[in-house]
Amino acid sequence: LGLRSGFAHELETWLHAREIDVMIAPLEGRAPARLRHAPLVSVPLVLLVPCSSALQSADELWVRREITEPLVTLPATEAITRLFHQGLRRRRTQWPMAIETSSLALVARYVARGYGLGVSVALPAIIRDPSVRVLPLAGFDPLEMAVFWQGDMTPLIQLVLDEARRYVRETWPDWADAERGARGASRVESVGAAHRR
């Protein structure tokens, strides 16, 4: 079994070209054409702020006339960034991207160094930097992840799907399916609290 990482559009291209057998990627609306999928996990979005920031809640930003802090995000083509901007539009808020990164780890690193505020997901492995605080993004749609493949289910694809589901259930039981959104919201609060200690 070989592993390859990339942005979602790259993975989809490789899957259609049969360079890979299966991909784990965001599911936005309907699955891409000619691909089958199985939902995997639904992870809340969060806002990362430096520990030195006076912000106690992301809601403090939405009532401002203008948000002056630089925004650090993944490219505009990525699902996390699109979901975040959809949430901003619902709040009639504009916040242009200032720094584009190639990974969520870099988002956290730039926020820790004081370059701005960052959009991420509530996964402790990604947001474990002690110089960063986590603010839940209440009312923003979560990031839905799924397993995708082409054609019939093969033993290899079934194995990847089974192991991915097992890992998600053991690691993030509150987010193991989209129907547990309310429980997931309380988990974001606890993740944020852990990083404020």
Side-chain angles (χ1 to χ4, degrees), residues 117-140:
L117 310 184
V119 181
S120 190
V121 288
L123 299 179
I126 294 173
I127 52 179
R128 62 178 171 235
D129 193 308
S131 303
V132 166
R133 282 190 296 116
V134 179
L135 302 181
L137 285 170
F140 283 70

Side-chain angles (χ1 to χ4, degrees), residues 97-180:
M97 179 192 317
I99 300 175
E100 179 182 299
T101 71
S102 59
S103 72
L104 291 175
L106 282 176
V107 170
R109 194 172 309 158
Y110 287 172
V111 171
R113 292 182 179 168
Y115 296 152
L117 310 184
V119 181
S120 190
V121 288
L123 299 179
I126 294 173
I127 52 179
R128 62 178 171 235
D129 193 308
S131 303
V132 166
R133 282 190 296 116
V134 179
L135 302 181
L137 285 170
F140 283 70
D141 293 337
L143 178 69
E144 307 283 349
M145 298 295 290
V147 176
F148 298 84
W149 68 94
Q150 284 196 85
D152 295 331
M153 175 71 73
T154 66
L156 174 64
I157 295 169
Q158 186 66 61
L159 177 64
V160 170
L161 178 58
D162 290 345
E163 283 301 304
R165 284 178 166 163
R166 181 192 61 76
Y167 181 82
V168 165
R169 281 193 308 270
E170 291 177 2
T171 311
W172 309 297
D174 291 334
W175 304 327
D177 60 54
E179 296 173 358
R180 298 184 183 177

